[in-house]
Amino acid sequence: MRLINAPKFIVDNNAGKLAKWLRVMGYDTLFFNGRSDSGMIATALAEGRIILTRDTQIMKRRVITNGQLKAILITSDQPELQMHQVIATLNLDCQFRPFAMCLECNQPLVVRSREQVKDVVPPYVFQTQSQYMECPACHRIFWRGTHWQAMTRKLNKLTQYQRKEGEF
Ligand SMILES: [Zn+2]
């Protein structure tokens, strides 16, 4: 499932933690760990991705200053504030598509039945969880376990912070 109007991202390695958070929300997000800014810009242009970076030099590139390519200069060095900045700037929906992307590979997850995962998940998980997803690339099995719930709660907190701030 691809949503045509949803923003897609490429995260520079100086703001790498953003990649996982955006994937938790369900946004298609590449992590750029190459050395050449030009490579990142070329990928962003080719795939229509918004660049998230802490590098002020990239912001001076002509493709960005003339509006051909969208980039956001991340101002904080704290991951939570970085996430808050991106959510507020683009008005992102924290509940966009939870549980849709592999947090490691950025691949859309595929639904698996309980029977299909029976032999690969721990018995207590099998007993308590009914919904499973598998990454077609790394074959990790995901379920809405405690780790996932903790990340969702953190995201919700960020949105509430955003709303409160808007009142002033
Ligand atoms: Zn994966």
Side-chain angles (χ1 to χ4, degrees), residues 52-70:
L52 305 177
T53 184
R54 300 208 61 210
D55 182 350
T56 52
Q57 293 306 311
I58 291 178
M59 302 305 288
K60 293 175 187 160
R61 296 284 186 119
R62 185 174 296 173
V63 282
I64 290 166
T65 55
N66 73 9
Q68 197 186 340
L69 182 61
K70 192 165 184 174

Side-chain angles (χ1 to χ4, degrees), residues 102 104-105 135 137-140 142:
C102 178
E104 304 299 328
C105 317
C135 171
C138 71
H139 300 289
R140 278 184 178 84
F142 293 89

